[in-house]
Amino acid sequence: MKIGIVGLGYVGIQLALALGEKYETVGFDRDLSKIEAYKLGVDRTGEVTKSQFSAAGKITYSINHEDLTG
């Protein structure tokens, strides 16, 4: 099972990271700078910790909507 989270704002990123601990998860957002930061384990708002990023080992981040299919 693959789960897609559309929109990685303050609610979406928390949900994506929590699900990404146990399930293959794609976090989608149209903001490239946000996706690049999340790929590096950085949250510009400071609401997500490094340990949350580390725990979510089954998550990928994307700006490509095609990554949500399949």
Side-chain angles (χ1 to χ4, degrees), residues 10-65:
Y10 71 95
V11 173
I13 188 60
Q14 296 287 347
L15 180 60
L17 289 170
L19 291 168
E21 290 182 26
K22 296 186 181 205
Y23 305 101
E24 187 178 344
T25 304
V26 176
F28 171 84
D29 201 284
R30 297 185 314 174
D31 183 343
L32 178 59
S33 65
K34 185 184 291 186
I35 293 298
E36 289 173 344
Y38 289 161
K39 285 180 179 180
L40 295 173
V42 174
D43 174 31
R44 297 177 291 186
T45 67
E47 296 173 354
V48 179
T49 65
K50 290 270 188 195
S51 63
Q52 286 175 284
F53 280 111
S54 297
K58 296 183 177 186
I59 191 167
T60 57
Y61 305 98
S62 181
I63 62 165
N64 185 350
H65 65 86

Side-chain angles (χ1 to χ4, degrees), residues 2-14:
K2 182 189 273 189
I3 299 171
I5 304 298
V6 178
L8 297 177
Y10 71 95
V11 173
I13 188 60
Q14 296 287 347

